[in-house]
Amino acid sequence: MVDVRLRISRHCRMTPSHLKWQTVLFIFCVYGMELVFGQARYSIPEETPDGSFVGNIANDLGIEISRLISGKARVVTKGGRQYVELSRDKGTLEVKERIDREELCKQTTPCSFSFDLIMENPIELHRVFVEVQDINDNAPKFPKGTASLQISENTEIGTQFHLDRAVDLDVGINGIKNYSLSPTDHFKLKINNEADGNKHVELILQRALDREERDEIKLVLTAYDGGSPKKSGSMQIHISVLDANDNAPVCKQSVYKAEVKENSQAGTVVTAVSASDVDQGLNGQVSYSFAQATEEARSVFKINSETGTITTVNSLDYEMEKMYQLNIKAMDKGGLKDTCKVIIDVIDENDNSPSIQLMSFSNVIAENSPIGTTVAVINVEDADSGINGIVQCKINENIPFKIESSLTDYYALITDETLDRENIAEYNITIYVSDQGSPARYSNKTLNVKISDVNDNPPVFSSEEYKAILSENNSPGVSVLKVEARDDDSGPNARLSFLLEDKNIHGNPVSSLVLVNSESGVISAAKVFDYEQMKSFSFNVTARDGGSPPLSSEVTVTIVVQDQNDNAPQVLYPVQTGGAVVAEIVPRSADVGYLVTKVVAVDVDSGQNAWLSYKLQKVTDRALFEVGAQNGEIRTVRQVTDKDAVKQKLTVVVEDNGQPSRSAVVNINVAVADTFPEVLSEFTDFTHTKQYNDDLTFYLVLALAAVSFLFITTLLVIISVKIYRWRQSRIFYQSNLPVIPYYPPGYTDTGVTGTLPHMYNYDACMTTDSRKTDYKYSTIGGQSVLMMDPSFTETMQRAMRERVLQQDPESPEAVRN
Ligand SMILES: *[C@@H]1O[C@H](CO)[C@@H](O)[C@H](O)[C@H]1NC(C)=O
């Protein structure tokens, strides 16, 4: 053992750096004792060029170079490549082939190879160990040149991400020593040394990511080895920052203002809101909706959830809502949201017509209402605003009303002139209102105002005066005429009643003559009238209305009593005495046409009833006398002869023209004689009464006066008649009235000859004083004087009384009747 140990110590010359291996070598030597004569150990760096010196084996094993040559020493490698060869001449070992430690040993360390040195004669075997020392000939290397990582932006700080580590074929100090990262603003490295000596590389997030700021980060990971000089290898790391919904949408404006006209049709775009979201994809997709919008606003507006466009769904009414406030929610698909406000002003349009409301209205107004009386109070309104709501008010023109503004929007309709119901009883007052919009809107209202009656109009008769003709001998109660009146007022103010005004006519109250129907105005006769007693009369009728106080007016009614042929003619001359014989005397010398006498008759009737005609009825000698049909003159028609009888008797019929006619008969005695005694002798049978003789003188005087008076009167009448006709013809001429004076056929109206005209005839009676009970009448010709029949005087008296009655109603005679 000592030997071995010595040999070992002799052959195994150890460098200090190999001391640690001594123990191992020793054990190895013990096992190889039978074969191996010696050992040698060398150490060379890898990659040593060929021929480089490895060791002086001769020296190290104590072998002579000659022995090497004689022993034919050679290197024997078992398998594998021969890296080292022997230079026998020098006794040195040299590098035969480049040694790559990494190829030879991979990561094994220490790395060595061995070969044997064999010599012959005697055979000798020496084992040589060569340790290959690592040199830093490999750089660290990452398996992949790039690494990609996807990291969400909201990853928490401190999160670790595993990275592939780099590999360095070198070992030991030349292996990977550390890593570095660049840049390190978001990440840092964490190196974990594993038990196997490897290092784990972790990437640690040290600052929060923000995709919106930077969505891709490029890092370079570099690995360094510990060689000298050190080598490095690097790897690109691409980090994609994944989006997280970390951004809420943001409205572009927090408040939007918009205007929309009222009555805009549905679908009108009001405005559009917009919000942006910097997130990606769904996280950045914003949808819009109403937040806390009133139901009403929802019914009016809608929002397009994608575009944010707000449109109307209904027409708007400024008058209902002037402004809308909408809260809009902009929300991304990740549920983050923002809100903004939209204020929509509704713009007024002139879409409302002004309205008229009657606050008070009296549709009936008295015609005597003073000017300024209020008829109606009107309220006008227009729901629009601004000038669209400013209202003007007026009424139609040319009516006695005006409109006054009392308060804002209030107007009073008042009277502007005095009213007159009788002129205009009703007004249609139209109130026109218009606003100032463009175009303006109008409306109107018509008020019907009735003017109520006031009793301001008296009754008015249809005629200024009334005249009626009533035939005498009427039946009592017959209606004569009707007065009519109107009253322009109405109602009770126009209800008329007719009253007879109290009055005396010929001493009788008028109510005894006529009756007035107070309602109808019909006037009827209250008694039987006699033309000969009363030819006409007048009275007043009052018409009174029912107003309070009543108004009245009166009218004069004249009733003319019309004559009827109810009186026969009365013969005035010759006087028909009962017993006395009166004769006309015709001298025998009388010529043809001698006026014997004239029959004078009157008829108290008038007109045609008083037109008289005369006829001979009976005559002693028809050839001797004739009577003028119109004038009653009895004349001779032939020369009187001596043969003619003294005593001639004629009967003359006097007839009026009435229908039917009435007549009277008069007997005339004619004496044809030259002397009065002759006559007397002939007329001895003529009766004389004492009374007549007594009064004869008186009657003669009276007759004379009467004749004189008659003559003058006749003259006056003729003149009057002439004047009257002359004037009448002028009136006819002027008036062109077709009035033709009427004369009955066969009658002439001459003032000179013929019958006394009726007027004359009559007036003669009227103007004569009739206070005497008897009446004496003489012929116009004054040729004869005859006696008067007493019965005739009665007739005359009556006629006279009537005349007096007409002239003087107050006379005692009238009263007596
Ligand atoms: C007023 O109007 C009414 C109804 O239209 C009509 O019957 C009446 O005749 C009118 N009155 C006047 C005075 O115009």
Side-chain angles (χ1 to χ4, degrees):
M1 284 303 287
V2 176
D3 281 338
V4 173
R5 200 176 297 164
L6 285 172
R7 281 170 73 181
I8 290 170
S9 59
R10 204 173 64 189
H11 294 279
C12 298
R13 196 184 55 196
M14 294 287 176
T15 58
S17 61
H18 292 146
L19 281 177
K20 56 183 175 182
W21 296 101
Q22 280 180 343
T23 312
V24 181
L25 279 172
F26 173 73
I27 295 164
F28 181 82
C29 290
V30 171
Y31 280 99
M33 261 172 31
E34 289 172 277
L35 294 169
V36 181
F37 290 85
Q39 286 183 344
R41 291 184 173 268
Y42 299 98
S43 174
I44 55 166
E46 60 175 328
E47 308 288 346
T48 305
D50 293 354
S52 297
F53 170 78
V54 177
N56 194 331
I57 191 78
N59 282 353
D60 292 340
L61 287 178
I63 303 167
E64 297 292 326
I65 290 177
S66 55
R67 168 70 185 137
L68 285 178
I69 294 164
S70 63
K72 295 180 189 175
R74 62 177 189 274
V75 171
V76 177
T77 304
K78 289 181 192 156
R81 285 190 252 175
Q82 185 183 334
Y83 295 109
V84 174
E85 67 177 356
L86 177 69
S87 171
R88 278 184 240 165
D89 301 338
K90 295 174 203 167
T92 56
L93 292 172
E94 290 170 9
V95 174
K96 186 191 174 196
E97 193 183 339
R98 188 188 64 91
I99 307 164
D100 184 3
R101 192 204 68 80
E102 284 74 29
E103 188 190 330
L104 186 68
C105 302
K106 304 276 191 287
Q107 290 291 305
T108 310
T109 185
C111 176
S112 62
F113 60 91
S114 62
F115 54 91
D116 294 330
L117 183 69
I118 297 172
M119 287 179 295
E120 303 170 4
N121 301 321
I123 192 162
E124 218 174 311
L125 189 143
H126 298 279
R127 186 154 288 179
V128 177
F129 294 91
V130 176
E131 184 186 356
V132 181
Q133 292 168 2
D134 185 41
I135 64 162
N136 195 23
D137 59 346
N138 285 289
K141 199 178 171 200
F142 287 94
K144 291 182 207 158
T146 58
S148 293
L149 289 176
Q150 293 189 323
I151 303 174
S152 172
E153 60 179 328
N154 59 356
T155 305
E156 279 178 40
I157 291 169
T159 306
Q160 301 185 358
F161 302 92
H162 175 78
L163 292 175
D164 286 343
R165 64 183 175 211
V167 176
D168 196 328
L169 295 178
D170 295 326
V171 295
I173 196 161
N174 291 327
I176 288 171
K177 192 176 174 199
N178 59 24
Y179 291 87
S180 76
L181 186 70
S182 162
T184 55
D185 44 4
H186 281 98
F187 294 94
K188 64 179 182 184
L189 286 177
K190 182 185 174 196
I191 314 290
N192 292 318
N193 289 308
E194 302 272 308
D196 60 358
N198 287 326
K199 295 177 194 300
H200 278 286
V201 185
E202 306 272 356
L203 202 55
I204 298 178
L205 183 68
Q206 64 172 350
R207 210 187 88 196
L209 296 171
D210 184 2
R211 188 201 65 78
E212 289 72 34
E213 184 190 313
R214 206 167 150 201
D215 61 353
E216 194 180 58
I217 298 172
K218 283 187 175 159
L219 301 174
V220 178
L221 178 67
T222 309
Y224 295 95
D225 60 21
S228 177
K230 61 183 176 186
K231 287 183 181 281
S232 66
S234 61
M235 176 174 70
Q236 300 273 345
I237 303 172
H238 290 275
I239 297 174
S240 297
V241 182
L242 296 182
D243 185 55
N245 194 25
D246 56 346
N247 284 285
V250 177
C251 291
K252 290 219 172 79
Q253 288 172 239
S254 62
V255 176
Y256 289 83
K257 290 203 175 217
E259 289 182 338
V260 61
K261 284 184 178 180
E262 64 172 332
N263 305 321
S264 297
Q265 65 187 53
T268 302
V269 174
V270 180
T271 187
V273 297
S274 140
S276 57
D277 190 320
V278 291
D279 289 331
Q280 253 187 339
L282 293 177
N283 292 335
Q285 252 182 38
V286 182
S287 63
Y288 303 92
S289 61
F290 288 126
Q292 303 160 336
T294 57
E295 202 52 48
E296 199 206 339
R298 275 178 213 276
S299 69
V300 175
F301 298 104
K302 69 173 180 192
I303 187 163
N304 184 312
S305 67
E306 284 177 21
T307 62
T309 306
I310 297 172
T311 50
T312 57
V313 287
N314 266 319
S315 68
L316 299 154
D317 187 1
Y318 174 85
E319 286 68 38
M320 297 237 319
E321 199 72 57
K322 295 177 175 50
M323 194 265 282
Y324 291 91
Q325 184 170 325
L326 306 172
N327 288 320
I328 310 291
K329 184 168 73 179
M331 185 155 76
D332 64 21
K333 296 287 191 288
L336 296 179
K337 65 191 178 192
D338 189 14
T339 56
C340 59
K341 199 179 274 184
V342 178
I343 294 169
I344 299 169
D345 286 320
V346 182
I347 298 173
D348 184 44
E349 290 212 309
N350 195 19
D351 59 341
N352 286 284
S353 296
S355 68
I356 304 168
Q357 286 207 331
L358 282 182
M359 309 309 284
S360 72
F361 174 45
S362 39
N363 60 346
V364 177
I365 170 167
E367 59 179 323
N368 63 350
S369 301
I371 290 171
T373 302
T374 300
V375 180
V377 176
I378 301 144
N379 174 233
V380 298
E381 271 176 5
D382 192 309
D384 292 321
S385 67
I387 59 165
N388 294 337
I390 295 175
V391 181
Q392 275 187 335
C393 187
K394 60 183 181 184
I395 57 169
N396 47 333
E397 287 168 358
N398 303 325
I399 52 170
F401 297 91
K402 67 177 178 183
I403 196 147
E404 269 185 359
S405 174
S406 42
L407 295 162
T408 313
D409 296 340
Y410 282 87
Y411 294 87
L413 179 67
I414 60 173
T415 58
D416 195 24
E417 288 168 29
T418 48
L419 303 168
D420 184 10
R421 188 203 66 82
E422 288 71 34
N423 189 14
I424 301 174
E426 179 192 28
Y427 291 92
N428 283 336
I429 304 171
T430 307
I431 300 160
Y432 299 95
V433 291
S434 61
D435 62 25
Q436 318 245 297
S438 167
R441 284 179 167 266
Y442 306 89
S443 48
N444 62 59
K445 191 182 199 85
T446 299
L447 305 181
N448 182 263
V449 176
K450 292 196 167 56
I451 311 301
S452 70
D453 188 48
V454 169
N455 194 21
D456 55 354
N457 283 284
V460 176
F461 281 98
S462 58
S463 174
E464 278 179 20
E465 57 177 347
Y466 289 90
K467 201 162 186 176
I469 293 170
L470 171 64
S471 290
E472 61 178 331
N473 305 320
N474 58 291
S475 50
V478 69
S479 60
V480 182
L481 82 159
K482 181 176 176 179
V483 292
E484 278 173 321
R486 67 184 161 81
D487 191 312
D488 288 335
D489 293 324
S490 71
N493 295 336
R495 196 171 301 142
L496 300 182
S497 53
F498 299 94
L499 309 166
L500 188 61
E501 207 169 283
D502 207 10
K503 181 186 177 183
N504 271 346
I505 295 173
H506 298 173
N508 298 319
V510 68
S511 54
S512 67
L513 302 179
V514 287
L515 297 171
V516 175
N517 184 314
S518 70
E519 279 185 19
S520 64
V522 170
I523 297 174
S524 49
K527 66 164 224 172
V528 180
F529 285 91
D530 182 3
Y531 173 82
E532 286 71 32
Q533 275 183 19
M534 191 184 287
K535 293 190 171 46
S536 73
F537 60 100
S538 296
F539 54 90
N540 286 341
V541 173
T542 303
R544 179 185 292 161
D545 64 27
S548 171
L551 296 175
S552 61
S553 55
E554 56 177 48
V555 72
T556 303
V557 180
T558 304
I559 291 179
V560 176
V561 181
Q562 199 180 35
D563 184 44
Q564 280 189 337
N565 196 19
D566 58 345
N567 288 288
Q570 298 290 332
V571 178
L572 299 182
Y573 184 85
V575 177
Q576 298 294 296
T577 55
V581 174
V582 179
E584 304 290 337
I585 299 163
V586 177
R588 290 198 182 272
S589 58
D591 288 335
V592 176
Y594 176 84
L595 178 62
V596 181
T597 187
K598 182 176 168 73
V599 178
V600 176
V602 295
D603 193 313
V604 292
D605 292 326
S606 66
Q608 297 203 15
N609 297 335
W611 287 93
L612 301 180
S613 63
Y614 302 88
K615 256 194 319 224
L616 272 180
Q617 197 186 43
K618 278 193 274 174
V619 64
T620 316
D621 184 353
R622 192 165 284 274
L624 186 57
F625 300 104
E626 64 169 9
V627 66
Q630 293 126 45
N631 55 17
E633 286 175 355
I634 297 169
R635 291 175 186 271
T636 56
V637 289
R638 64 173 168 81
Q639 189 72 43
V640 180
T641 63
D642 292 343
K643 289 176 205 155
D644 288 324
V646 172
K647 194 172 153 189
Q648 299 279 342
K649 198 166 185 176
L650 290 81
T651 305
V652 174
V653 178
V654 183
E655 236 178 17
D656 64 22
N657 198 37
Q659 288 290 340
S661 69
R662 289 171 180 264
S663 60
V665 174
V666 58
N667 294 315
I668 301 159
N669 294 314
V670 176
V672 179
D674 282 332
T675 56
F676 192 64
E678 190 183 357
V679 177
L680 281 178
S681 63
E682 281 299 317
F683 285 89
T684 44
D685 54 339
F686 284 14
T687 317
H688 292 271
T689 61
K690 192 166 184 337
Q691 191 196 356
Y692 278 127
N693 289 332
D694 287 346
D695 292 332
L696 189 60
T697 316
F698 171 73
Y699 284 119
L700 284 173
V701 173
L702 187 70
L704 191 66
V707 166
S708 309
F709 182 75
L710 270 173
F711 178 71
I712 293 164
T713 312
T714 308
L715 235 107
L716 285 173
V717 165
I718 288 166
I719 290 166
S720 310
V721 165
K722 286 289 176 192
I723 291 169
Y724 175 75
R725 286 198 183 147
W726 175 74
R727 287 187 58 182
Q728 205 62 1
S729 67
R730 272 176 60 100
I731 291 167
F732 293 150
Y733 175 73
Q734 282 169 359
S735 64
N736 278 336
L737 284 171
V739 177
I740 300 156
Y742 173 70
Y743 293 104
Y747 292 81
T748 55
D749 189 22
T750 61
V752 184
T753 58
T755 315
L756 279 174
H758 161 251
M759 192 179 293
Y760 173 81
N761 200 344
Y762 197 71
D763 279 355
C765 302
M766 295 190 297
T767 51
T768 310
D769 189 359
S770 61
R771 286 173 197 264
K772 294 282 180 187
T773 51
D774 289 330
Y775 193 86
K776 201 83 178 174
Y777 204 88
S778 66
T779 65
I780 292 168
Q783 288 170 321
S784 309
V785 176
L786 290 173
M787 302 297 287
M788 197 177 247
D789 192 307
S791 67
F792 174 67
T793 59
E794 276 179 31
T795 312
M796 280 308 292
Q797 271 181 326
R798 213 185 76 197
M800 295 307 284
R801 272 203 307 274
E802 280 172 8
R803 181 64 205 153
V804 168
L805 200 94
Q806 283 189 342
Q807 279 181 334
D808 182 13
E810 303 305 320
S811 72
E813 282 163 349
V815 173
R816 204 178 57 206
N817 267 7

